[in-house]
Short mmCIF file of all heavy atoms in Angstrom, two decimals:
data_model
loop_
_atom_site.label_atom_id
_atom_site.label_comp_id
_atom_site.label_asym_id
_atom_site.label_seq_id
_atom_site.Cartn_x
_atom_site.Cartn_y
_atom_site.Cartn_z
N SER A 368 35.44 38.20 5.92
CA SER A 368 35.49 37.37 7.12
C SER A 368 36.73 36.50 7.09
O SER A 368 36.91 35.68 6.17
CB SER A 368 34.23 36.50 7.22
OG SER A 368 34.28 35.69 8.38
N LEU A 369 37.61 36.68 8.09
CA LEU A 369 38.83 35.88 8.21
C LEU A 369 38.85 35.15 9.54
O LEU A 369 39.90 34.92 10.13
CB LEU A 369 40.08 36.76 8.08
CG LEU A 369 40.37 37.34 6.69
CD1 LEU A 369 39.75 38.72 6.53
CD2 LEU A 369 41.87 37.42 6.43
N GLY A 370 37.69 34.76 10.02
CA GLY A 370 37.60 34.09 11.30
C GLY A 370 38.43 32.82 11.36
O GLY A 370 38.35 31.99 10.45
N HIS A 371 39.28 32.70 12.40
CA HIS A 371 40.11 31.52 12.63
C HIS A 371 41.13 31.28 11.50
O HIS A 371 41.66 30.18 11.38
CB HIS A 371 39.25 30.27 12.80
CG HIS A 371 38.36 30.31 14.01
ND1 HIS A 371 38.75 29.87 15.25
CD2 HIS A 371 37.07 30.76 14.14
CE1 HIS A 371 37.75 30.04 16.11
NE2 HIS A 371 36.73 30.58 15.47
N ALA A 372 41.38 32.28 10.68
CA ALA A 372 42.37 32.12 9.60
C ALA A 372 43.78 32.05 10.18
O ALA A 372 44.10 32.71 11.17
CB ALA A 372 42.27 33.27 8.61
N HIS A 373 44.64 31.25 9.55
CA HIS A 373 46.06 31.18 9.91
C HIS A 373 46.78 32.11 8.94
O HIS A 373 47.00 31.75 7.78
CB HIS A 373 46.57 29.75 9.77
CG HIS A 373 46.04 28.82 10.80
ND1 HIS A 373 46.83 28.09 11.66
CD2 HIS A 373 44.76 28.51 11.14
CE1 HIS A 373 46.09 27.37 12.47
NE2 HIS A 373 44.82 27.61 12.16
N ALA A 374 47.12 33.30 9.41
CA ALA A 374 47.64 34.33 8.50
C ALA A 374 48.93 34.96 9.04
O ALA A 374 49.13 36.17 8.94
CB ALA A 374 46.58 35.40 8.27
N GLN A 375 49.81 34.13 9.58
CA GLN A 375 51.06 34.65 10.09
C GLN A 375 51.88 35.28 8.97
O GLN A 375 52.08 34.68 7.92
CB GLN A 375 51.87 33.52 10.75
CG GLN A 375 51.17 32.85 11.92
CD GLN A 375 50.33 31.66 11.53
OE1 GLN A 375 49.82 31.61 10.40
NE2 GLN A 375 50.17 30.70 12.42
N GLY A 376 52.34 36.51 9.21
CA GLY A 376 53.17 37.19 8.22
C GLY A 376 52.41 37.69 7.00
O GLY A 376 53.03 38.10 6.01
N LEU A 377 51.10 37.68 7.04
CA LEU A 377 50.30 38.16 5.90
C LEU A 377 50.54 39.65 5.69
O LEU A 377 50.48 40.45 6.63
CB LEU A 377 48.82 37.91 6.18
CG LEU A 377 47.81 38.49 5.18
CD1 LEU A 377 47.99 37.90 3.80
CD2 LEU A 377 46.38 38.25 5.68
N CYS A 378 50.81 40.04 4.44
CA CYS A 378 51.03 41.45 4.13
C CYS A 378 49.72 42.10 3.69
O CYS A 378 49.16 41.73 2.66
CB CYS A 378 52.08 41.60 3.03
SG CYS A 378 52.41 43.33 2.62
N LEU A 379 49.26 43.04 4.49
CA LEU A 379 48.01 43.76 4.21
C LEU A 379 48.27 45.27 4.13
O LEU A 379 47.36 46.06 4.36
CB LEU A 379 46.98 43.47 5.30
CG LEU A 379 46.41 42.04 5.32
CD1 LEU A 379 45.78 41.73 6.66
CD2 LEU A 379 45.38 41.87 4.20
N SER A 380 49.47 45.64 3.78
CA SER A 380 49.80 47.07 3.74
C SER A 380 48.93 47.79 2.70
O SER A 380 48.77 47.33 1.57
CB SER A 380 51.28 47.27 3.40
OG SER A 380 51.59 46.73 2.15
N GLY A 381 48.33 48.90 3.14
CA GLY A 381 47.47 49.68 2.25
C GLY A 381 46.14 49.04 1.93
O GLY A 381 45.39 49.55 1.08
N ALA A 382 45.81 47.94 2.58
CA ALA A 382 44.54 47.25 2.30
C ALA A 382 43.38 47.92 3.01
O ALA A 382 43.54 48.62 4.01
CB ALA A 382 44.63 45.79 2.73
N ASN A 383 42.19 47.70 2.48
CA ASN A 383 40.96 48.21 3.10
C ASN A 383 40.32 47.07 3.87
O ASN A 383 39.78 46.13 3.29
CB ASN A 383 40.00 48.74 2.03
CG ASN A 383 38.71 49.28 2.64
OD1 ASN A 383 38.55 49.33 3.86
ND2 ASN A 383 37.78 49.71 1.79
N LEU A 384 40.37 47.16 5.21
CA LEU A 384 39.81 46.14 6.09
C LEU A 384 38.66 46.68 6.91
O LEU A 384 38.35 46.16 7.98
CB LEU A 384 40.91 45.60 7.01
CG LEU A 384 42.00 44.77 6.33
CD1 LEU A 384 43.28 44.77 7.15
CD2 LEU A 384 41.52 43.34 6.11
N ALA A 385 38.01 47.71 6.39
CA ALA A 385 36.93 48.34 7.14
C ALA A 385 35.84 47.32 7.46
O ALA A 385 35.33 46.65 6.56
CB ALA A 385 36.34 49.50 6.34
N TYR A 386 35.56 47.20 8.75
CA TYR A 386 34.49 46.31 9.25
C TYR A 386 34.72 44.83 8.92
O TYR A 386 33.78 44.04 8.93
CB TYR A 386 33.12 46.78 8.76
CG TYR A 386 32.82 48.20 9.16
CD1 TYR A 386 32.94 49.25 8.24
CD2 TYR A 386 32.47 48.51 10.47
CE1 TYR A 386 32.70 50.57 8.61
CE2 TYR A 386 32.23 49.83 10.85
CZ TYR A 386 32.34 50.85 9.92
OH TYR A 386 32.11 52.16 10.31
N ALA A 387 35.94 44.48 8.60
CA ALA A 387 36.26 43.06 8.41
C ALA A 387 36.24 42.35 9.76
O ALA A 387 36.44 42.96 10.81
CB ALA A 387 37.62 42.91 7.75
N ASP A 388 36.01 41.05 9.73
CA ASP A 388 35.96 40.26 10.95
C ASP A 388 37.14 39.29 10.94
O ASP A 388 37.18 38.35 10.14
CB ASP A 388 34.64 39.48 11.02
CG ASP A 388 34.46 38.76 12.35
OD1 ASP A 388 35.42 38.72 13.15
OD2 ASP A 388 33.35 38.22 12.59
N VAL A 389 38.12 39.53 11.83
CA VAL A 389 39.28 38.65 11.94
C VAL A 389 39.28 37.93 13.28
O VAL A 389 40.33 37.60 13.83
CB VAL A 389 40.61 39.43 11.72
CG1 VAL A 389 40.64 40.03 10.33
CG2 VAL A 389 40.79 40.50 12.78
N SER A 390 38.11 37.68 13.82
CA SER A 390 38.00 37.02 15.13
C SER A 390 38.77 35.71 15.14
O SER A 390 38.62 34.88 14.23
CB SER A 390 36.53 36.77 15.47
OG SER A 390 35.81 37.99 15.56
#
Side-chain angles (χ1 to χ4, degrees):
S368 179
L369 290 92
H371 296 272
H373 290 237
Q375 299 91 331
L377 173 62
C378 181
L379 290 161
S380 61
N383 180 4
L384 291 157
Y386 303 102
D388 187 352
V389 298
S390 298

